[in-house]
Amino acid sequence: MSHQELPKVDNKRVIRLIPPVLTQDRIVGFKAGLRPFRRGGVRVEEEKIGNKIFFHNYGHGAGGVSVGYGYSTLAFSKFASKYHDAHDAKKVAVIGSGYIGLFTSLLLRENGYVVTIYADKTIKTSGFSYPDSDDKTLPTTSQIAGGFWVPYGYDFNCTAEVREIHELACRLSFAFFEKTLHHKNMRGVSYKKTVHVDSIDYIKRSVPNGLIKDYEDVKVTFNGVDLIDAHYFTTLLIDGDLFLNDLKQECIRKGVQFVDKHFNTVNEILSLEENFIFNCTGCSAGKLFNDPNVYPLKGQLVAFKPTPGVDYFFRTQIENGAFVSFYPQQDVLPVGLVEQKDDWDPRPTVETCNRIAQNAIKYFEKYNTAPKL
């Protein structure tokens, strides 16, 4: 049992948690990826280039897992409302095979369209990457995400219109994951208790009313002695290694075709046979479509062996200003919270990963009373 309730202190519930066992010898791999931030918010709009009609859907930053289904629904609705009866609209291309590309393809197939995904990166069995990886062996950025359902890390608050779209995308996405959880048709989606020691202002700003459940202020302890003030609530966690593999298989089962193809220029995309193209290329969209507002926020995680009973999300800020956070996935316990702006190298950086690991190891050393595993 990971959550044990103790007598109240200062009229707050006291919850004892099993601490994660974090040691150097328990590190099993690294995860790194470039999250596509866009100044001005997600670009969801139609554009004609040559004789092709593009529907852009990119710029979700660190929020893709949380809002991707909602924005894909909005992009699909724009397309279907205008071109549903067009004679050449039944065959559609999707560029990109992360969350946005897969969600878009699923929506298109469910509504009767013939869909081909063109992408040079696809979902791997595991989202690990290494400093000496090459582009062909790297997973999509979507697969390295921690999967904590909080729709932040992208520009959603720049105008009232963008904020309104953000809230709609949040609700559509959250409902999709809850439906998936209810029907149990894809793995990797679960409700998780969240222990948040530092400020939750960013959560209050980004999450629409009603989507954070069971909120309360509590005290938590890892050793029965030291008490830590914390925010305690329930949200969703999406394990990308499980969910994205199942999402891809669902797309294949419904008839989506996958073609391994890399695009260096828009002209190469224009050579496709499809006249309607959904652009879900993330960071690559900035270069392909000359969008100066796109830049990467590089994220990195260190994956430890899981600790039995550690089934909650945790985040705190430590003395050096860095953050320690972990995400309880099925096969690993990824640890990390780092954003590096304008770093275009998608591979993990040894120095950064070592710093992430040591920060977490040091923080939990004094609490780590769990037996050696």
Side-chain angles (χ1 to χ4, degrees), residues 149 151 156 163-164 166-168 170-172 174-175 178 201-215 234:
W149 198 93
F156 62 86
R163 176 74 197 198
E164 184 176 346
H166 163 79
E167 294 208 8
L168 176 59
C170 287
R171 295 190 185 280
L172 289 169
F174 198 87
E178 287 201 309
D201 286 349
Y202 77 100
I203 295 178
K204 292 178 179 178
R205 288 193 301 268
S206 63
V207 178
N209 290 336
L211 299 189
I212 289 294
K213 304 177 185 298
D214 309 320
Y215 175 85
T234 303

Side-chain angles (χ1 to χ4, degrees), residues 147-197:
F148 176 49
W149 198 93
V150 172
Y152 82 112
Y154 81 104
D155 199 356
F156 62 86
N157 221 8
C158 50
T159 68
E161 180 183 9
V162 169
R163 176 74 197 198
E164 184 176 346
I165 294 171
H166 163 79
E167 294 208 8
L168 176 59
C170 287
R171 295 190 185 280
L172 289 169
S173 297
F174 198 87
F176 168 81
F177 284 122
E178 287 201 309
K179 181 179 177 181
T180 298
L181 186 57
H182 176 74
H183 290 293
K184 299 180 180 179
N185 59 328
M186 285 181 272
R187 299 167 300 159
V189 182
S190 59
Y191 291 114
K192 282 288 182 269
K193 282 295 186 183
T194 294
V195 179
H196 213 295
V197 176

Side-chain angles (χ1 to χ4, degrees), residues 119-166:
D120 62 340
K121 292 180 183 176
T122 187
I123 308 305
K124 311 291 185 183
T125 303
S126 171
F128 290 140
S129 53
Y130 302 94
D132 58 353
S133 301
D134 58 40
D135 283 343
K136 294 299 292 182
T137 61
L138 289 169
T140 65
T141 290
S142 292
Q143 196 170 354
I144 68 97
F148 176 49
W149 198 93
V150 172
Y152 82 112
Y154 81 104
D155 199 356
F156 62 86
N157 221 8
C158 50
T159 68
E161 180 183 9
V162 169
R163 176 74 197 198
E164 184 176 346
I165 294 171
H166 163 79

Side-chain angles (χ1 to χ4, degrees), residues 148-339:
F148 176 49
W149 198 93
V150 172
Y152 82 112
Y154 81 104
D155 199 356
F156 62 86
N157 221 8
C158 50
T159 68
E161 180 183 9
V162 169
R163 176 74 197 198
E164 184 176 346
I165 294 171
H166 163 79
E167 294 208 8
L168 176 59
C170 287
R171 295 190 185 280
L172 289 169
S173 297
F174 198 87
F176 168 81
F177 284 122
E178 287 201 309
K179 181 179 177 181
T180 298
L181 186 57
H182 176 74
H183 290 293
K184 299 180 180 179
N185 59 328
M186 285 181 272
R187 299 167 300 159
V189 182
S190 59
Y191 291 114
K192 282 288 182 269
K193 282 295 186 183
T194 294
V195 179
H196 213 295
V197 176
D198 61 305
S199 170
I200 60 168
D201 286 349
Y202 77 100
I203 295 178
K204 292 178 179 178
R205 288 193 301 268
S206 63
V207 178
N209 290 336
L211 299 189
I212 289 294
K213 304 177 185 298
D214 309 320
Y215 175 85
E216 61 178 317
D217 291 322
V218 300
K219 292 182 182 291
V220 297
T221 180
F222 294 106
N223 57 11
V225 178
D226 297 293
L227 301 180
I228 307 167
D229 288 313
H231 310 282
Y232 192 62
F233 54 90
T234 303
T235 187
L236 292 167
L237 190 94
I238 295 87
D239 184 335
D241 282 345
L242 296 176
F243 176 77
L244 283 167
N245 274 284
D246 282 7
L247 181 59
K248 180 182 178 181
Q249 291 305 312
E250 181 71 1
C251 286
I252 293 172
R253 188 181 71 81
K254 289 184 180 293
V256 175
Q257 299 296 310
F258 285 77
V259 174
D260 183 0
K261 193 170 182 64
H262 176 78
F263 298 101
N264 291 301
T265 66
V266 172
N267 284 336
E268 293 176 3
I269 301 176
L270 293 176
S271 69
L272 296 177
E273 63 174 299
E274 294 88 352
N275 289 327
F276 291 86
I277 301 169
F278 281 80
N279 168 31
C280 309
T281 55
C283 279
S284 297
K287 296 179 179 179
L288 285 169
F289 296 92
N290 297 315
D291 187 341
N293 293 312
V294 178
Y295 61 84
L297 288 177
K298 183 174 181 178
Q300 302 194 58
L301 298 169
V302 178
F304 288 81
K305 291 179 182 179
T307 302
V310 177
D311 59 351
Y312 55 93
F313 170 83
F314 178 84
R315 169 173 149 152
T316 188
Q317 188 168 19
I318 57 179
E319 291 178 356
N320 62 11
F323 292 89
V324 170
S325 63
F326 59 75
Y327 311 81
Q329 298 179 355
Q330 174 175 275
D331 297 324
V332 294
L333 186 70
V335 174
L337 185 65
V338 62
E339 293 182 346

